[in-house]
Amino acid sequence: MFENSRAFSGFAVDDLERAKQFYGTTLGLSVSQDEEMGLLRLDLAGGTTIMVYPKEDHRPAIYTILNFPVDDVERAVDELTARGVTFERYEGFEADAKGIVHGDEGTPTIAWFKDPAGNILSVLNGEGP
């Protein structure tokens, strides 16, 4: 039934302008604003689209909403840190001084951070699914 559907994902933020600045400038993503619908559109590599919508009583996701596969996690963390991003540390995951959890056989090297609305994102090694 949905095998040819161009599915997309979406998530809420508490401040659309701050989200636009963060995703467009800090992360360098292609961001467009749909004035009519009052939301942002993130156009990611591979043709993926994510809709970002404002929600007055927004509560940040308690799980990772977006994962960004990169060739070099350490370099990505350094660049994001230089842009003001702070990396998270979670119980049960031993992170280095930069906030990177170094994977071993079968687990990725990953670092988590939050957007201005408190939603959790990550950079991790690899190509993704």
Side-chain angles (χ1 to χ4, degrees), residues 23-83:
Y23 286 97
T25 303
T26 304
L27 299 187
L29 299 176
S30 172
V31 178
S32 57
Q33 191 156 2
D34 184 328
E35 299 290 338
E36 186 178 316
M37 294 187 70
L39 48 79
L40 297 178
R41 175 183 169 137
L42 307 180
D43 292 310
L44 307 178
T48 301
T49 299
I50 307 288
M51 304 309 282
V52 181
Y53 55 92
K55 188 172 180 192
E56 219 171 280
D57 61 344
H58 168 71
R59 291 185 186 179
I62 58 171
Y63 52 86
T64 308
I65 63 163
L66 278 176
N67 296 287
F68 294 98
V70 295
D71 292 331
D72 186 336
V73 172
E74 189 151 347
R75 186 175 75 218
V77 166
D78 288 345
E79 287 180 22
L80 289 169
T81 299
R83 295 177 186 191

Side-chain angles (χ1 to χ4, degrees), residues 5 37 40 46 52 67 74 84 89 92 96-101 109-110 112 118 122-124 126:
S5 176
M37 294 187 70
L40 297 178
V52 181
N67 296 287
E74 189 151 347
R89 296 173 190 286
D96 68 13
K98 294 180 179 184
I100 301 170
V101 176
T109 295
I110 188 168
W112 292 278
S122 83
V123 290
L124 69 159

